[in-house]
Amino acid sequence: MNSPFVLTPPIHKEKSQLTLESSFKGPLEHLGLAVKDLFHMANLPTGAGNPDYLKSHVNTHENNTIETNSTVKALLNAGAVFKGKTITDELAYSLHGQNKHFPALINPAAPELIPGGSSSGSAVAVSSELADIGLGTDTGGSIRVPASYQGLWGMRTTHGIIECDNMVALAPSFDTVGWMTRDLATFELVSEVCIPAHTQHAIAAEPCFGIASNEFDGVLHKALCNKWIDENLRPQFETRDIPSDMLNLTAMDTAAIFRVLQGSEIWQQHGQWIEQEKPDIADDIMSRLLWCKTITAEQVESAKLQQQGVVNHLDTLFQDVDVLVIPTTPGIAPRCDADSTTLANDRNTLLALTSLAGLAGLPQLHLPLFTLHNAPCGLSLVGKKGNDLALLAVAKRLAL
């Protein structure tokens, strides 16, 4: 299997400010940590999935002006052992886990299928048991998608509760820090270390679950999802089926709204570097980047108004339910040999689902529940802002 790591310790260990082989005692003692190559770590290079990015930023690292990201510090201080920096899709602007600059990542859970991106390397490190914690980011689905495709626990955290300091940004209004693990117990330990308690709010003792029925109708694992909901949610909890006239992501155009807002910010972050350095970037990603350049202020303003409409709609929805249940992905991952059109269509379908939580800044927990055609898939619990830890408590009640 090709390694998911782009860099492993010891690197400049004699001058490192990090305890790479952590000697700290803590709740994460002896747990291996894989870090997506967007997070800065003192004295270690950050490549953001692109060799030209690494070359053009190497002086910053050599001059020791880089500080370690605060979440990485927290995990190491809690006893986690750094295993290495992992491959990411270029600039984290993909959902497929394919990077032309590195050997192809193999999805350990389904080798004939893509691993999902852009936190692909961290996911592969965990699912192949080279690490226990896969640290990544989620802007448009980059934790949730590889978690679904590889049978892992994964969460997009409430936007803004975890600082995105000392890391390569993609679209700051949507960037979040997240992680993946093989089991819920480890996931809970990591969450308690990383999520500030003062940002959290409880869910009702007897929560009401809103089932996004219309969205389940369109996914490949519909039968598995409905069976699980009927056997695990409906007998224990109050549930409400949300009809298509109350929640229809296609009609709400969530993917298009998200694409414009994210794209505008991506060009603000990376446009100058792209035009100056003319980096070697995969054709599909470069095509999207050049499209980002064309987004107008009027388009952004219109998308922001539409975004507020989505937020208002969800606020109304959450007056009647405590947890929203939706598919994480449309099904299992595409095949590794899928053509570019298939992958582009898959990305568009994915974004319709993943952009909902992104547009509203909500936490979303992926539950790795199912196997379809010998490959993983699952569903998600979406909560109100600050319900991150509460969603984990709900998952524990479901004896997952």
Side-chain angles (χ1 to χ4, degrees), residues 154-168:
M155 177 184 278
R156 175 193 171 84
T157 52
T158 299
H159 185 266
I161 65 165
I162 299 178
E163 189 174 359
C164 291
D165 62 305
N166 298 309
M167 58 187 287
V168 180

Side-chain angles (χ1 to χ4, degrees), residues 33-281:
L33 170 65
V35 178
K36 184 176 184 177
D37 194 22
L38 291 187
F39 292 88
H40 294 323
M41 297 176 69
N43 299 311
L44 304 183
T46 303
N50 181 271
D52 290 327
Y53 184 94
L54 179 61
K55 289 176 186 175
S56 61
H57 291 77
V58 71
N59 288 336
T60 305
H61 294 84
E62 290 180 345
N63 292 334
N64 296 326
T65 58
I66 290 295
E67 295 184 7
T68 301
N69 168 268
S70 58
T71 298
V72 175
K73 283 183 181 178
L75 292 168
L76 292 173
N77 288 337
V81 180
F82 176 59
K83 294 296 184 180
K85 280 196 165 187
T86 58
I87 296 171
T88 174
D89 297 13
E90 292 180 84
L91 303 179
Y93 194 21
S94 180
L95 291 172
H96 292 137
Q98 298 171 321
N99 189 320
K100 72 172 190 174
H101 302 289
F102 299 93
L105 286 171
I106 305 300
N107 180 345
E112 73 282 5
L113 306 183
I114 66 172
S118 65
S119 302
S120 46
S122 292
V124 169
V126 172
S127 57
S128 59
E129 301 189 18
L130 297 174
D132 303 292
I133 306 161
L135 184 65
T137 61
D138 190 307
T139 304
S142 294
I143 288 282
R144 292 162 288 169
V145 172
S148 178
Y149 289 172
Q150 297 186 47
L152 302 173
W153 290 86
M155 177 184 278
R156 175 193 171 84
T157 52
T158 299
H159 185 266
I161 65 165
I162 299 178
E163 189 174 359
C164 291
D165 62 305
N166 298 309
M167 58 187 287
V168 180
L170 181 63
S173 293
F174 303 104
D175 291 347
T176 62
V177 174
W179 42 90
M180 295 161 284
T181 68
R182 292 185 298 275
D183 60 85
L184 180 56
T186 303
F187 197 94
E188 187 176 25
L189 289 174
V190 176
S191 300
E192 289 174 349
V193 167
C194 295
I195 296 174
H198 72 272
T199 67
Q200 296 299 287
H201 308 287
I203 288 175
E206 297 301 326
C208 176
F209 290 80
I211 314 300
S213 307
N214 179 68
E215 303 309 322
F216 284 108
D217 285 341
V219 300
L220 295 178
H221 55 311
K222 170 186 175 181
L224 292 170
C225 293
N226 288 338
K227 183 175 186 290
W228 184 85
I229 290 168
D230 289 342
E231 293 179 354
N232 293 274
L233 283 184
R234 299 194 195 279
Q236 297 186 62
F237 301 98
E238 179 186 358
T239 61
R240 296 185 184 181
D241 289 301
I242 301 173
S244 59
D245 61 345
M246 291 183 62
L247 187 68
N248 185 322
L249 302 183
T250 301
M252 293 167 71
D253 219 8
T254 54
I257 299 167
F258 183 85
R259 206 177 284 117
V260 168
L261 295 176
Q262 177 190 236
S264 174
E265 293 193 17
I266 289 171
W267 193 253
Q268 290 175 36
Q269 292 295 319
H270 298 294
Q272 183 177 358
W273 171 73
I274 289 168
E275 295 194 319
Q276 286 182 350
E277 299 293 332
K278 296 178 173 52
D280 179 14
I281 294 177

Side-chain angles (χ1 to χ4, degrees), residues 156-161 173-174 176 307 310-311 314 355-364 382-388:
R156 175 193 171 84
T157 52
T158 299
H159 185 266
I161 65 165
S173 293
F174 303 104
T176 62
Q307 178 189 23
V310 172
V311 171
L314 286 172
S355 58
L356 184 68
L359 288 170
L362 304 179
Q364 180 175 341
V382 180
K384 302 174 186 177
K385 289 183 178 181
N387 279 166
D388 310 66

